[in-house]
Amino acid sequence: MGLLSIKNLSIDFVTEVGTVTAVNNISLDVNRGEVVAIVGESGSGKSVTSLSILQLLPSPPAKYSSGEILFSETDNDTVDLLKLSPKKIQALRGNKIAMIFQEPMTSLNPVLTCGTQVMEAIELHRKFKTTDAKEETIKLFSKVKLPDPEAIFDRYPHQLSGGQKQRVMIAVAMSCDPLLLICDEPTTALDVTVQKTILQLIRELQQEKNMGVIFITHDLGVVAEIADRAVVLYKGQIVEHGNVRDIFNDPQHPYTKSLLMCRPVLHNKGERLPVVSDFMDEGQKERANQIQYENKEKKNLSNKNDETLIKVENLNVWFPSVKTFFGKTINYTKAVHDVSFNVYRGETLGLVGESGCGKTTLGRALLRLIEPISGKIIFNGMNLLASKADELKKMRKDIQIVFQDPYSSLNPRLTIGSAIAEALKVHHVVVDAKERKEKVMELLKKVNLSTSHFERYPHEFSGGQRQRIVIARALALNPSFVVFDESVSALDVSVQAQVLNLINDLKTEFGFTVIFISHDLAVVRYISDRIMVMNKGQIEEMGPAEDIYHHPSTVYTKKLIAAIPGI
């Protein structure tokens, strides 16, 4: 027997409306020294499976209908994890079996320093004295390649970048030399370059310690980078499993084929991305042929013309970083520094770079959600930085933004119908309440949502549906310019494909101009006419999307492209 063996596991959730089966009779093995990837979209059951290993599912509502999870520290010592007492499973958690969660900020304690949180596990499980635990923690920070480990020891989680917080989480997980490491979407929201270093780090530690690793993800590109074997989950069932190379070269199940094919990296600009339903429907062959036909018709299609819609000249957005005792600023963080570029009417300009490069700051400054300290933003001939408040309010009908996290940009107390109608009401676009509702219903249909969703609240929708809602809200005023700020970065690859198709469709119908901000060059190449690469607040290079992607001129852009998983 291997290190971990899941046999005929079924997990139900008892809800007010009935029993929901999240995992249905799955079996899989993990051996020492190998990485097994569990792949699937949100709701496929992959995280539920991983949480059940350490009894982290609340019971109720979770109910283990059948199966066992066998863990073997040695060949002669096998236990069923589902039958262990709370005290015994606690002794295993973080000790013999460790877990890295998707969002490090919510799994790290904000009121404890990073060093204290790693020491806690070492003192609890390995019984080290405080001085020895501190020394071991600094060694671990060095091993996970954190800069200046002694300084990081005394910092709080909010003082670190996303990649650094994830490294602290890895240090916590590795602190007791676990036999099994569970990684639950540990790189989903990270830049491609940070993601690549985290994947390499996990692989190096796994090989050094001969650990078994369960790596959970929705991205088959990431699987290609790290895993030995893959298990594909769909609606709580295993639909395919095997060697990663075999699954990539010859996928057998339609669902696996769909996860592979819907990645933007495989498609040219203008092509319609296939989605899961295209492969799972009975008429999938006909639909695949239809997509191929549509792609031939749409290839290289662009609404771009030579008329300048936005002209940015010498834009600077600086934030105070060092102040004197009397409050005088003596040093600044130059988030955007002396940036100049044009955006042409009808084009999609991709803005790409790592976290901290200034791309989101630039996008928000264009709408004056952040105030620049100098420069010009000329929109339709008007300098937005010289505009007064009432002029700017009128202009806001024409410039909109779709934020990265749709849930935090929607009011949880308003139905989605009211949220979309609010913009129409504030700007007096549609005065009559009945007409406003009809307009909102029409917008919901355009973003492929049902009119029955009008009275529902944001928490009742999936991530992909919420993204459609905020797109509908942004388009309610028929703007000529829309900024999409990391609007697909945290979505499943298939939902990402749906949203990218939707953006292309709406662009064709409404003819608006787009700045599309992302850290993923593969997505930006797919959707953009031109690409602008930012690094440390300045433009690194700029040009046609295909030229930048296939023939980058700077070392930084080459590094971004090399970090794209699965190419």
Side-chain angles (χ1 to χ4, degrees), residues 19 50 86 156 213 280 310 318 342 356 362 388 461 471 479 510 567:
T19 301
S50 67
Y156 291 88
V213 174
M280 300 304 290
I310 300 170
W318 297 359
N342 293 343
L362 175 58
K388 295 178 181 178
F461 295 91
I471 290 172
F510 290 93
I567 64 167

Side-chain angles (χ1 to χ4, degrees), residues 434-488:
K434 184 179 179 182
E435 288 182 22
R436 275 202 302 271
K437 185 170 183 178
E438 289 174 357
K439 173 73 173 174
V440 173
M441 295 284 198
E442 184 185 331
L443 283 164
L444 288 175
K445 288 178 184 176
K446 287 188 184 298
V447 297
N448 300 328
L449 290 172
S450 168
T451 54
S452 63
H453 292 148
F454 186 95
E455 298 294 344
R456 294 189 189 176
Y457 290 87
H459 72 273
E460 298 180 86
F461 295 91
S462 68
Q465 287 174 321
R466 282 196 287 265
Q467 201 61 275
R468 291 167 188 271
I469 292 163
V470 293
I471 290 172
R473 186 179 61 178
L475 296 179
L477 299 170
N478 198 17
S480 61
F481 173 56
V482 182
V483 174
F484 289 88
D485 185 9
E486 298 275 15
S487 54
V488 297

Side-chain angles (χ1 to χ4, degrees), residues 4 15 22 40 56 101 118 128 150 152 170 175 222 252-253 277 293 373 464-465 469 494 500 515 563:
L4 185 82
T15 68
L56 292 176
F101 295 96
V118 180
F128 275 35
E150 288 84 1
I152 295 285
I170 294 171
S175 60
V222 171
Q252 298 298 308
H253 196 274
S277 59
Y293 173 76
I373 65 164
Q465 287 174 321
I469 292 163
S494 59
L500 291 173
I515 286 185

Side-chain angles (χ1 to χ4, degrees), residues 235-482:
K235 293 184 177 179
Q237 294 183 302
I238 294 176
V239 295
E240 189 162 357
H241 62 89
N243 182 279
V244 166
R245 185 173 294 178
D246 293 339
I247 285 179
F248 265 74
N249 293 335
D250 187 24
Q252 298 298 308
H253 196 274
Y255 182 66
T256 312
K257 293 176 183 177
S258 72
L259 290 180
L260 283 166
M261 287 304 299
C262 65
R263 293 178 298 149
V265 71
L266 302 176
H267 300 273
N268 295 319
K269 176 176 168 53
E271 288 187 357
R272 189 160 197 82
L273 297 174
V275 296
V276 170
S277 59
D278 298 328
F279 291 82
M280 300 304 290
D281 291 344
E282 290 182 10
Q284 59 178 283
K285 188 174 182 180
E286 290 78 4
R287 178 60 185 144
N289 290 335
Q290 183 185 345
I291 289 173
Q292 285 184 346
Y293 173 76
E294 290 173 357
N295 286 342
K296 286 178 183 176
E297 292 292 305
K298 290 191 173 186
K299 195 171 182 181
N300 297 323
L301 183 67
S302 175
N303 295 321
K304 176 180 175 288
N305 61 40
D306 294 329
E307 181 188 351
T308 299
L309 178 68
I310 300 170
K311 187 177 183 67
V312 177
E313 297 180 354
N314 308 112
L315 190 69
N316 289 289
V317 184
W318 297 359
F319 299 108
S321 59
V322 180
K323 291 187 177 184
T324 65
F325 179 78
F326 299 102
K328 182 181 178 181
T329 302
I330 58 174
N331 201 4
Y332 290 88
T333 297
K334 298 178 180 179
V336 176
H337 183 52
D338 198 30
V339 166
S340 300
F341 62 95
N342 293 343
V343 184
Y344 300 107
R345 191 177 295 277
E347 83 164 331
T348 299
L349 175 65
L351 181 53
V352 70
E354 298 173 287
S355 291
C357 72
K359 58 188 187 296
T360 292
T361 302
L362 175 58
R364 295 186 180 194
L366 293 179
L367 280 71
R368 279 191 61 181
L369 298 177
I370 294 174
E371 289 295 333
I373 65 164
S374 65
K376 290 182 180 179
I377 302 170
I378 300 169
F379 176 75
N380 265 342
M382 178 185 290
N383 185 1
L384 297 185
L385 298 189
S387 301
K388 295 178 181 178
D390 57 338
E391 294 174 322
L392 196 61
K393 184 178 178 182
K394 291 177 184 177
M395 188 64 70
R396 289 206 183 280
K397 287 193 295 185
D398 218 23
I399 51 178
Q400 293 291 313
I401 187 167
V402 177
F403 294 100
Q404 178 174 358
D405 181 3
Y407 193 67
S408 62
S409 58
L410 288 168
N411 188 330
R413 296 182 179 182
L414 290 181
T415 64
I416 61 120
S418 300
I420 298 170
E422 188 177 37
L424 297 169
K425 186 177 179 180
V426 167
H427 288 281
H428 309 291
V429 174
V430 182
V431 178
D432 182 71
K434 184 179 179 182
E435 288 182 22
R436 275 202 302 271
K437 185 170 183 178
E438 289 174 357
K439 173 73 173 174
V440 173
M441 295 284 198
E442 184 185 331
L443 283 164
L444 288 175
K445 288 178 184 176
K446 287 188 184 298
V447 297
N448 300 328
L449 290 172
S450 168
T451 54
S452 63
H453 292 148
F454 186 95
E455 298 294 344
R456 294 189 189 176
Y457 290 87
H459 72 273
E460 298 180 86
F461 295 91
S462 68
Q465 287 174 321
R466 282 196 287 265
Q467 201 61 275
R468 291 167 188 271
I469 292 163
V470 293
I471 290 172
R473 186 179 61 178
L475 296 179
L477 299 170
N478 198 17
S480 61
F481 173 56
V482 182

